[in-house]
Amino acid sequence: MKKSIWIVMALVLMSPILWAAGQQEIGNEADTWPTKPIEIVVPFNAGGDTDFHARTYAKYLKDILGQPVTIINVAGANGGAGSIRVKNAKPDGYSALFFHDSMLMNKVVGVTDFAHEALDPACIGVHDDTYILAVNSKSTYMSLDDLIQDAKKHPGDIKYASSIGGYTYYVGCMLEREANVHFNIVDAGGGSDRNAALLAQKIDTNVNPYGVMKPFIDSGDFRVLALFSEKRSNLFPTIPTAKEQGYEVIGSRAYFLSFPKGTDPKIIAKMSSAMETISKMPEYAKDIELAYCVEPGFSGTEETLKYLDKTMASFMADQDFILGK
Amino acid sequence: MDNFIIGAQAVLNLPSILLIVIGIITGIIFGAIPGLSATMAIALFLPITYGLSPTQGIVLLIALYVGGISGGLISAILTHIPGTPSSVATCFDGWPLTQKGQATKALGVGIVFSFIGTLFSTIILIFLSPILARFAIKFGAYEYFALGIFSLSMIGSLSGKSLAKGISSALFGCMFATVGIDMIGAVPRFSFGVQSMKMGFNILPVMIGMFAVAEILKAAEESRHPLQSETIKINIKGIKGFGFSWAEFRSQWSNGLYSSLIGTGIGILPGIGGGIANIIAYSAVKNKSKYPEKFGSGIIDGVVATETSNNAAIGGALVPLLCLGIPGDTVTAMLLGGLTLHGISPGPLMFTQNVDIVYGIFIALLISAVLMLLIEFYGLRAFVALLKLPKSTLLPGIFIFCVIGAFGVNNQMFDVWTVLLFGGIGYFFNKIKMPTAPFILGFIIGPIIEVNLRRGLMFSQGSFAPFITSPIATVFLSASLLSLVLSGIKNIRRKMDKKSI
């Protein structure tokens, strides 16, 4: 009796292996792609922004491609672990990586020794252009200029929160350079930790995408001084850009999909056009607005490569800056 | 009261109740199997909740959370292998009770006090969360640093006979925690140029190795000595209810309350993480006890402390999650993801804008607590029957799950190697009689101390003064000093007593 239970259990445990082995034998011709489920690696834990954007695409991709798209979370080394896994995967179009600008930043700070050039990027699924600078509403800063003038009077005193090597750190450095001021850049943890720190006035400013701070903006606890984008957002049009206030700092994060190097261009084109279709769907726009206050923004393969190369070049030019030298 | 009716309307329907039942049962199974954990159960079910309504989704995750944290006690008590990191300290007294033939009593106590812990923290969550959340944000780098030091001062009561071995074990834990990309400057440390080493060691595989694999290795070694009988006597016959008497329950009342407070308190502070509530509550109850020397020999006080506190940490962890949108650990981070996905952002307005969700969670917690009690009560006799399985069948089965569980953490082989490495280290520790609990404490608390020290120094621009002048930090630092001095005095007295005998 007991033995048979263990045999059944062993068989159940072995079944995924058999299933995976069976799948290997089917051909990988680009014309018929996809003929089996596609695995998209998200290099962070489930529940974050990257995971959300990947899953939202996966939800709609299934109907367009006719095959399920599964999300696999491979966290570790600030996204480096998942990137390595896809870089080393077979370029058959069945594994891909969904990551953002941090992939490039990881190379700049030395977490990994490669960036997008080691893979075949397909397209940018969404641009998050909603980086804002907020202060506690009890503070006296009413505009970005108030903050900058105070920083000029008290150099090195204003606590600007970010993690070193993170994107918000880079935004802070750009603002320091543009306004010719000097902040005290402190580490206060991730997005939600920084919300708590700003609420308790342990830090003076907080830069993050709008969606991360939205609950506190809605409740009146935070005051937004500037949006780091070319133009105002349609979703929160009352917030002025830093550019209008005379400080030209632009921040953005692009979430892009890439395949292992050597993947058939036909597969890449097919995936890219499927994602483009989704990015134009109204239900997709509603999903991302509700969760992160972001508007759809898609870029095709060529544009994506241009964007990534340009971003990499600007990161590299500022390497010393980013490393805090 | 109206809010409760709204919450009840959202949760008290057949699909939601069914989801809670599924969640509790799955959670208990995941919690009970070493290698699989509450975290993993939630990670597996998270994608499923995307297709459900927001309330149904969160209700399912809450049930998994409650079941998963409680389920860990089963294997901790019956096999000396904690089912989840939250039950590490349950082994200390749960296993000796099993060896004495009192497995049913240990399980019964664990189940009832898991229920009490969940209930206590849920009540706190319902009535005090906005106030407590405002208090929790007062904790910044200086305060977390002091709290970390205070937690480390608990090593004394976890060290067994030799304080020196306890301290070394904790220091080893701190050391291994430094491997990987450092959390402030993103500098890879001790990676020896190996890419996967940059990820560092994840707590789950480390714990699986230290406790499960090491225990399996030990059993394998002992099986070569047929004299050491491996069957354990169990008396199920004649045992009524939960296997313990009313008098025993009453004697544990104050321990239960004390551990509930500690568990809830640790849960509320997002910088600490609920996983170590059980270790800290165990040490605290032991220090407070009139008979600390009996801890570890199989008394229910130890089981009460750990099982009350780990479930109490659930309600505590939901305070910053719902009021401020701050997750304290991976589990709450996934709960946050589950809410965000449905366009719900926890924060100051959560209690006014999402009444159905918030009160739905409260009611789901209460229902989950009751269901957990019932399901585990009826399962109690079946769990004990597990002991009848020969170790040669049970332990290899557990080993398979350990490897699968480790792989499941991040879908990576590196975590499997981690399990094996720490299995070896744990086995070696057992050989030289070095306690493993301080290692885990050091592994978790070490990074908290380091990160907050460095953050604090960035805030103060290099000055150490605020670490002492912050009132909360002062309280914790003086408490650690006091605890060190007291344990020193105790140690000297014990030695003097021995000499006089």
Side-chain angles (χ1 to χ4, degrees):
Chain A
M1 212 15 229
K2 270 169 215 146
K3 238 180 204 165
S4 61
I5 293 174
W6 284 105
I7 292 172
V8 170
M9 196 171 268
L11 285 177
V12 169
L13 291 174
M14 268 154 62
S15 57
I17 305 171
L18 292 174
W19 175 80
Q23 293 290 323
Q24 293 286 326
E25 287 158 24
I26 303 168
N28 56 4
E29 285 100 35
D31 295 327
T32 53
W33 180 90
T35 54
K36 60 174 186 179
I38 301 160
E39 176 188 299
I40 293 184
V41 170
V42 168
F44 297 100
N45 283 321
D49 53 341
T50 316
D51 184 64
F52 165 80
H53 284 298
R55 283 187 199 271
T56 311
Y57 265 110
K59 183 166 85 177
Y60 297 109
L61 274 173
K62 190 186 153 207
D63 292 334
I64 296 178
L65 297 173
Q67 284 290 342
V69 175
T70 48
I71 300 296
I72 302 220
N73 299 93
V74 182
N78 191 28
S83 312
I84 293 165
R85 172 165 159 145
V86 176
K87 182 181 152 243
N88 297 337
K90 229 164 81 177
D92 55 5
Y94 294 102
S95 48
L97 174 74
F98 194 83
F99 202 179
H100 48 68
D101 298 45
S102 287
M103 186 187 195
L104 317 187
M105 195 63 94
N106 277 346
K107 186 181 177 184
V108 177
V109 299
V111 171
T112 49
D113 50 11
F114 66 91
H116 64 284
E117 77 285 348
L119 292 115
D120 276 340
C123 58
I124 291 171
V126 62
H127 288 269
D128 190 339
D129 293 328
T130 67
Y131 277 87
I132 52 167
L133 186 145
V135 294
N136 191 303
S137 24
K138 287 177 200 145
S139 97
T140 51
Y141 309 132
M142 302 305 286
S143 69
L144 189 56
D145 207 46
D146 288 350
L147 176 80
I148 299 293
Q149 292 314 323
D150 196 41
K152 277 190 176 146
K153 263 183 242 157
H154 309 280
D157 271 357
I158 292 177
K159 293 192 187 81
Y160 176 99
S162 90
S163 37
I164 294 172
Y167 192 71
T168 47
Y169 181 81
Y170 185 57
V171 174
C173 293
M174 288 195 288
L175 187 60
E176 278 185 331
R177 186 163 50 180
E178 173 75 19
N180 198 18
V181 290
H182 177 55
F183 298 122
N184 177 18
I185 297 195
V186 294
D187 185 296
S192 56
D193 301 323
R194 292 210 290 269
N195 282 344
L198 188 62
L199 196 60
Q201 292 184 290
K202 289 190 185 290
I203 54 176
D204 298 309
T205 68
N206 188 15
V207 172
N208 248 328
Y210 188 89
V212 177
M213 290 196 265
K214 185 171 185 290
F216 298 90
I217 299 167
D218 292 347
S219 69
D221 286 304
F222 292 177
R223 182 187 305 130
V224 185
L225 299 187
L227 168 70
F228 295 112
S229 176
E230 286 286 353
K231 54 178 182 17
R232 292 189 181 204
S233 163
N234 294 322
L235 302 177
F236 41 93
T238 51
I239 292 171
T241 63
K243 201 177 167 183
E244 314 172 16
Q245 300 178 67
Y247 301 97
E248 202 173 343
V249 176
I250 311 288
S252 133
R253 169 181 269 187
Y255 297 85
F256 61 96
L257 186 87
S258 35
F259 286 99
K261 197 96 193 160
T263 302
D264 196 307
K266 275 186 200 160
I267 291 176
I268 293 173
K270 219 166 173 177
M271 184 58 131
S272 174
S273 92
M275 284 176 67
E276 184 168 11
T277 313
I278 294 167
S279 70
K280 287 176 183 149
M281 286 160 59
E283 52 268 53
Y284 167 79
K286 206 178 155 222
D287 283 348
I288 62 169
E289 180 190 336
L290 261 178
Y292 281 99
C293 269
V294 180
E295 294 173 275
F298 174 89
S299 307
T301 311
E302 234 171 90
E303 256 181 278
T304 301
L305 282 172
K306 252 186 230 160
Y307 171 88
L308 293 172
D309 288 340
K310 199 182 116 211
T311 310
M312 192 70 194
S314 65
F315 284 174
M316 280 319 249
D318 290 332
Q319 193 175 21
D320 285 352
F321 223 42
I322 292 166
L323 291 174
K325 279 176 191 160
Chain B
M1 209 54 220
D2 286 352
N3 292 342
F4 272 102
I5 295 166
I6 297 172
Q9 277 169 343
V11 176
L12 294 178
N13 51 57
L14 193 63
S16 299
I17 299 284
L18 216 64
L19 285 170
I20 296 182
V21 174
I22 295 172
I24 288 285
I25 296 178
T26 318
I28 293 173
I29 296 174
F30 269 74
I33 298 175
L36 310 183
S37 64
T39 316
M40 202 166 292
I42 293 178
L44 274 178
F45 277 81
L46 187 63
I48 297 172
T49 63
Y50 298 175
L52 302 170
S53 78
T55 323
Q56 285 176 346
I58 195 75
V59 157
L60 172 63
L61 297 179
I62 290 281
L64 284 165
Y65 191 8
V66 173
I69 297 291
S70 173
L73 69 95
I74 299 167
S75 48
I77 290 171
L78 295 179
T79 64
H80 198 212
I81 300 174
T84 68
S86 301
S87 302
V88 165
T90 308
C91 300
F92 301 166
D93 274 293
W95 172 244
L97 277 167
T98 299
Q99 284 176 311
K100 286 198 265 179
Q102 298 178 343
T104 327
K105 184 198 263 185
L107 287 174
V109 168
I111 292 165
V112 169
F113 280 91
S114 284
F115 169 75
I116 292 174
T118 314
L119 201 65
F120 178 90
S121 67
T122 307
I123 292 169
I124 299 268
L125 171 70
I126 295 174
F127 294 105
L128 295 176
S129 38
I131 304 165
L132 290 174
R134 292 276 155 178
F135 177 71
I137 58 169
K138 291 212 164 68
F139 276 69
Y142 311 130
E143 290 79 11
Y144 276 116
F145 169 78
L147 189 56
I149 296 285
F150 177 67
S151 309
L152 270 194
S153 72
M154 298 281 178
I155 298 171
S157 48
L158 294 170
S159 296
K161 286 194 183 99
S162 158
L163 187 62
K165 277 182 182 165
I167 292 173
S168 335
S169 173
L171 289 177
F172 273 117
C174 296
M175 258 167 58
F176 275 103
T178 58
V179 174
I181 303 222
D182 101 82
M183 279 173 289
I184 290 189
V187 178
R189 300 192 291 199
F190 304 111
S191 64
F192 299 101
V194 181
Q195 264 298 338
S196 33
M197 288 281 282
K198 286 186 186 168
M199 294 190 311
F201 301 115
N202 188 300
I203 176 66
L204 204 64
V206 168
M207 199 223 46
I208 298 172
M210 285 297 267
F211 290 96
V213 176
E215 187 65 25
I216 293 168
L217 288 175
K218 191 177 139 216
E221 187 187 33
E222 281 168 1
S223 70
R224 297 172 56 131
H225 308 290
L227 282 178
Q228 283 176 334
S229 158
E230 59 169 44
T231 43
I232 288 158
K233 277 180 233 139
I234 1 157
N235 327 305
I236 305 183
K237 277 173 203 157
I239 287 174
K240 281 178 199 154
F242 284 101
F244 60 95
S245 68
W246 178 242
E248 283 174 310
F249 179 74
R250 268 197 323 216
S251 74
Q252 294 304 323
W253 188 240
S254 67
N255 277 349
L257 187 70
Y258 193 53
S259 312
S260 293
L261 284 171
I262 294 175
T264 314
I266 292 175
I268 289 170
L269 297 173
I272 298 286
I276 52 161
N278 72 100
I279 300 183
I280 293 179
Y282 183 89
S283 321
V285 166
K286 185 178 168 183
N287 286 340
K288 176 178 91 74
S289 170
K290 290 190 186 100
Y291 38 87
E293 70 285 352
K294 282 193 192 161
F295 278 73
S297 67
I299 53 169
I300 54 174
D301 306 49
V303 178
V304 168
T306 60
E307 286 308 315
T308 317
S309 61
N310 63 16
N311 274 74
I314 296 177
L318 291 175
V319 170
L321 182 74
L322 295 178
C323 301
L324 304 165
I326 310 170
D329 52 21
T330 36
V331 173
T332 36
M334 284 189 288
L335 293 181
L336 179 64
L339 289 169
T340 313
L341 217 103
H342 288 290
I344 295 156
S345 333
L349 298 182
M350 187 76 178
F351 281 67
T352 44
Q353 282 181 349
N354 299 97
V355 176
D356 54 332
I357 304 271
V358 172
Y359 282 82
I361 290 175
F362 294 163
I363 289 173
L365 273 169
L366 296 174
I367 298 176
S368 299
V370 174
L371 278 175
M372 173 193 77
L373 187 73
L374 289 177
I375 292 170
E376 291 187 335
F377 173 68
Y378 285 106
L380 198 122
R381 278 147 190 85
F383 303 148
V384 176
L386 266 178
L387 283 178
K388 287 186 189 150
L389 276 178
K391 275 191 172 175
S392 56
T393 313
L394 187 65
L395 294 183
I398 290 180
F399 185 72
I400 293 174
F401 276 110
C402 289
V403 172
I404 297 175
F407 185 76
V409 173
N410 271 325
N411 296 299
Q412 294 199 106
M413 272 313 280
F414 179 70
D415 290 319
V416 176
W417 304 130
T418 307
V419 164
L420 298 180
L421 170 70
F422 284 89
I425 295 176
Y427 176 75
F428 178 69
F429 270 39
N430 290 341
K431 279 271 138 183
I432 59 167
K433 298 218 160 38
M434 185 112 112
T436 41
F439 182 94
I440 294 296
L441 194 66
F443 191 85
I444 298 174
I445 298 286
I448 293 175
I449 293 179
E450 187 209 328
V451 165
N452 286 299
L453 175 65
R454 290 173 65 184
R455 277 186 192 158
L457 289 174
M458 285 167 102
F459 272 79
S460 65
Q461 306 201 339
S463 160
F464 281 95
F467 287 94
I468 304 164
T469 52
S470 148
I472 300 174
T474 316
V475 169
F476 281 112
L477 288 177
S478 350
S480 344
L481 198 66
L482 195 72
S483 134
L484 278 181
V485 171
L486 283 182
S487 69
I489 293 174
K490 251 187 216 168
N491 228 6
I492 294 168
R493 263 198 203 151
R494 211 188 301 154
K495 273 181 189 161
M496 302 246 284
D497 285 351
K498 261 185 200 163
K499 270 182 194 164
S500 62
I501 291 165

